[in-house]
Amino acid sequence: MLNHHSPTTVPKVIDIPRELAASQEKFNGEAGRAFIASLPDLTAGFLDRWELAPDGPPMHGVSALVLPVLRRDGTPAVLKLQILDEESEGEPVALRAWDGDGAVRLLDHDAPTGTMLLERLDETRMLSHVPDPHQAVTTTAELLAHLTSFPAPPGMRHLGDIARAMLDQTPWALDRIPDPEARRVVADCAAAVREVVDEPGDRLLHWDLHDENVLASDRAPWLAIDPKPLAGDPGFELWPALDNRYDPDDILWRFDAMTDILALDRPRARAWTLGRLLQNALWDIEDDRPLDDAQLEIARRLRKTRSGMI
């Protein structure tokens, strides 16, 4: 999601959004503070190197600064600056593989910093603005069906490694869940992952295709942005659309619609979706947060879809 407000002015270069500085401080500590401090010089350097002119106020998500720019020939684009980590380092690799087919087009990339020049989409027209949640789910599923038809490039981080690490962490996490029913839900999620962990898949996954990461464009009705890619089973992609505009009574309709559109085996897709809920629970426990009630309810409803447990 891109936001446009509360800047901290850096003269003659950019306005650094206060919310971005705060989120970098929260999630990345000293490295985040250093990244924020480096942004004025980093931005100025890439404006010069790639012959770009600023073309509007900066936008931001949780971790990246996105600056609207014009290229030397007047073509609109955006400059995206972010901390390089295991999630962001795969982004240009995935965007090159998709090459604008269902996703934003990568125009240039600096490997040492992770800085990217991207085509400019219409940030005022997000899929989250579509009034009908069923239409939004269908659109997300159609995009995912196309994006996951691509094999993952070599070297992409792998769902199998992530899943095995989650299972290794599960006993520690279960000991820290005081409520017996919630503990059973998380344990069942882990049990579902154990059933599929040896066949984690090899498709190119976006991983974070929620309805604010789908934007309209003049060249295509909808395009995906901001992937956190990995190689794996497309069933691991379904959770954001189950969670967007959360409605517990709509969970099973959404799950069935998405698995139909992606032509997925439902038991496997269910197992990998429960794996995504396990991942969210582990993060909550690591950060000493209570488990999210909506996440637990999604898991409960999916567990009941085939005569009880998977």
mmCIF file of all heavy atoms in Angstrom, residues 187-204:
data_model
loop_
_atom_site.group_PDB
_atom_site.id
_atom_site.type_symbol
_atom_site.label_atom_id
_atom_site.label_comp_id
_atom_site.label_asym_id
_atom_site.label_seq_id
_atom_site.Cartn_x
_atom_site.Cartn_y
_atom_site.Cartn_z
ATOM 1 N N ALA A 187 -1.617 -26.023 16.239
ATOM 2 C CA ALA A 187 -1.043 -27.359 16.081
ATOM 3 C C ALA A 187 -1.609 -28.049 14.843
ATOM 4 O O ALA A 187 -0.882 -28.751 14.115
ATOM 5 C CB ALA A 187 -1.318 -28.191 17.331
ATOM 6 N N ASP A 188 -2.903 -27.863 14.577
ATOM 7 C CA ASP A 188 -3.500 -28.458 13.378
ATOM 8 C C ASP A 188 -2.953 -27.831 12.098
ATOM 9 O O ASP A 188 -2.810 -28.512 11.077
ATOM 10 C CB ASP A 188 -5.016 -28.319 13.425
ATOM 11 C CG ASP A 188 -5.665 -29.244 14.455
ATOM 12 O OD1 ASP A 188 -5.013 -30.237 14.839
ATOM 13 O OD2 ASP A 188 -6.799 -28.969 14.884
ATOM 14 N N CYS A 189 -2.675 -26.539 12.142
ATOM 15 C CA CYS A 189 -2.034 -25.891 10.988
ATOM 16 C C CYS A 189 -0.683 -26.532 10.712
ATOM 17 O O CYS A 189 -0.332 -26.816 9.555
ATOM 18 C CB CYS A 189 -1.880 -24.399 11.243
ATOM 19 S SG CYS A 189 -3.411 -23.446 11.217
ATOM 20 N N ALA A 190 0.087 -26.761 11.772
ATOM 21 C CA ALA A 190 1.393 -27.397 11.604
ATOM 22 C C ALA A 190 1.248 -28.821 11.075
ATOM 23 O O ALA A 190 2.031 -29.259 10.213
ATOM 24 C CB ALA A 190 2.147 -27.385 12.933
ATOM 25 N N ALA A 191 0.247 -29.551 11.569
ATOM 26 C CA ALA A 191 0.031 -30.913 11.087
ATOM 27 C C ALA A 191 -0.288 -30.918 9.594
ATOM 28 O O ALA A 191 0.159 -31.803 8.849
ATOM 29 C CB ALA A 191 -1.111 -31.559 11.878
ATOM 30 N N ALA A 192 -1.064 -29.934 9.138
ATOM 31 C CA ALA A 192 -1.375 -29.841 7.713
ATOM 32 C C ALA A 192 -0.111 -29.600 6.894
ATOM 33 O O ALA A 192 0.074 -30.195 5.824
ATOM 34 C CB ALA A 192 -2.390 -28.725 7.479
ATOM 35 N N VAL A 193 0.770 -28.744 7.383
ATOM 36 C CA VAL A 193 2.014 -28.457 6.664
ATOM 37 C C VAL A 193 2.884 -29.712 6.584
ATOM 38 O O VAL A 193 3.518 -29.973 5.553
ATOM 39 C CB VAL A 193 2.766 -27.295 7.328
ATOM 40 C CG1 VAL A 193 4.140 -27.094 6.685
ATOM 41 C CG2 VAL A 193 1.950 -26.010 7.230
ATOM 42 N N ARG A 194 2.918 -30.503 7.649
ATOM 43 C CA ARG A 194 3.738 -31.723 7.634
ATOM 44 C C ARG A 194 3.302 -32.668 6.516
ATOM 45 O O ARG A 194 4.117 -33.420 5.975
ATOM 46 C CB ARG A 194 3.638 -32.458 8.972
ATOM 47 C CG ARG A 194 4.378 -31.772 10.109
ATOM 48 C CD ARG A 194 4.466 -32.645 11.350
ATOM 49 N NE ARG A 194 4.857 -31.816 12.487
ATOM 50 C CZ ARG A 194 4.005 -31.288 13.347
ATOM 51 N NH1 ARG A 194 2.696 -31.525 13.213
ATOM 52 N NH2 ARG A 194 4.432 -30.545 14.342
ATOM 53 N N GLU A 195 2.018 -32.621 6.164
ATOM 54 C CA GLU A 195 1.511 -33.515 5.116
ATOM 55 C C GLU A 195 2.016 -33.139 3.727
ATOM 56 O O GLU A 195 2.029 -33.983 2.826
ATOM 57 C CB GLU A 195 -0.017 -33.473 5.119
ATOM 58 C CG GLU A 195 -0.628 -33.896 6.434
ATOM 59 C CD GLU A 195 -1.486 -35.151 6.310
ATOM 60 O OE1 GLU A 195 -1.876 -35.489 5.187
ATOM 61 O OE2 GLU A 195 -1.734 -35.755 7.352
ATOM 62 N N VAL A 196 2.402 -31.867 3.532
ATOM 63 C CA VAL A 196 2.764 -31.410 2.181
ATOM 64 C C VAL A 196 4.197 -30.883 2.090
ATOM 65 O O VAL A 196 4.646 -30.522 1.002
ATOM 66 C CB VAL A 196 1.782 -30.304 1.704
ATOM 67 C CG1 VAL A 196 0.386 -30.880 1.502
ATOM 68 C CG2 VAL A 196 1.749 -29.122 2.667
ATOM 69 N N VAL A 197 4.918 -30.846 3.206
ATOM 70 C CA VAL A 197 6.215 -30.173 3.217
ATOM 71 C C VAL A 197 7.223 -30.809 2.258
ATOM 72 O O VAL A 197 8.124 -30.122 1.759
ATOM 73 C CB VAL A 197 6.778 -30.135 4.659
ATOM 74 C CG1 VAL A 197 7.154 -31.535 5.146
ATOM 75 C CG2 VAL A 197 7.966 -29.179 4.765
ATOM 76 N N ASP A 198 7.068 -32.094 1.972
ATOM 77 C CA ASP A 198 8.017 -32.752 1.071
ATOM 78 C C ASP A 198 7.707 -32.511 -0.404
ATOM 79 O O ASP A 198 8.468 -32.945 -1.274
ATOM 80 C CB ASP A 198 8.036 -34.262 1.348
ATOM 81 C CG ASP A 198 8.653 -34.589 2.703
ATOM 82 O OD1 ASP A 198 9.510 -33.800 3.160
ATOM 83 O OD2 ASP A 198 8.276 -35.615 3.298
ATOM 84 N N GLU A 199 6.602 -31.834 -0.701
ATOM 85 C CA GLU A 199 6.267 -31.458 -2.079
ATOM 86 C C GLU A 199 5.896 -29.980 -2.105
ATOM 87 O O GLU A 199 4.730 -29.609 -2.307
ATOM 88 C CB GLU A 199 5.109 -32.304 -2.605
ATOM 89 C CG GLU A 199 5.419 -33.798 -2.666
ATOM 90 C CD GLU A 199 4.249 -34.597 -3.195
ATOM 91 O OE1 GLU A 199 3.503 -34.070 -4.048
ATOM 92 O OE2 GLU A 199 4.076 -35.732 -2.753
ATOM 93 N N PRO A 200 6.889 -29.099 -1.923
ATOM 94 C CA PRO A 200 6.584 -27.669 -1.750
ATOM 95 C C PRO A 200 6.332 -26.899 -3.030
ATOM 96 O O PRO A 200 5.950 -25.733 -2.972
ATOM 97 C CB PRO A 200 7.830 -27.139 -1.045
ATOM 98 C CG PRO A 200 8.933 -28.031 -1.540
ATOM 99 C CD PRO A 200 8.315 -29.387 -1.710
ATOM 100 N N GLY A 201 6.531 -27.518 -4.204
ATOM 101 C CA GLY A 201 6.236 -26.830 -5.454
ATOM 102 C C GLY A 201 7.409 -26.034 -6.000
ATOM 103 O O GLY A 201 8.421 -25.823 -5.320
ATOM 104 N N ASP A 202 7.246 -25.570 -7.248
ATOM 105 C CA ASP A 202 8.347 -24.880 -7.927
ATOM 106 C C ASP A 202 7.883 -23.687 -8.750
ATOM 107 O O ASP A 202 8.591 -23.204 -9.623
ATOM 108 C CB ASP A 202 9.092 -25.852 -8.842
ATOM 109 C CG ASP A 202 8.216 -26.393 -9.968
ATOM 110 O OD1 ASP A 202 7.005 -26.076 -10.007
ATOM 111 O OD2 ASP A 202 8.744 -27.149 -10.816
ATOM 112 N N ARG A 203 6.664 -23.192 -8.494
ATOM 113 C CA ARG A 203 6.145 -22.054 -9.239
ATOM 114 C C ARG A 203 6.682 -20.743 -8.663
ATOM 115 O O ARG A 203 7.126 -20.675 -7.513
ATOM 116 C CB ARG A 203 4.620 -22.030 -9.171
ATOM 117 C CG ARG A 203 3.926 -23.254 -9.758
ATOM 118 C CD ARG A 203 4.046 -23.296 -11.273
ATOM 119 N NE ARG A 203 5.228 -24.012 -11.716
ATOM 120 C CZ ARG A 203 5.653 -24.022 -12.985
ATOM 121 N NH1 ARG A 203 5.011 -23.344 -13.912
ATOM 122 N NH2 ARG A 203 6.723 -24.698 -13.312
ATOM 123 N N LEU A 204 6.629 -19.697 -9.468
ATOM 124 C CA LEU A 204 7.046 -18.369 -9.015
ATOM 125 C C LEU A 204 5.875 -17.722 -8.282
ATOM 126 O O LEU A 204 4.847 -17.411 -8.884
ATOM 127 C CB LEU A 204 7.473 -17.516 -10.204
ATOM 128 C CG LEU A 204 7.894 -16.070 -9.903
ATOM 129 C CD1 LEU A 204 8.984 -16.004 -8.843
ATOM 130 C CD2 LEU A 204 8.355 -15.376 -11.195
#
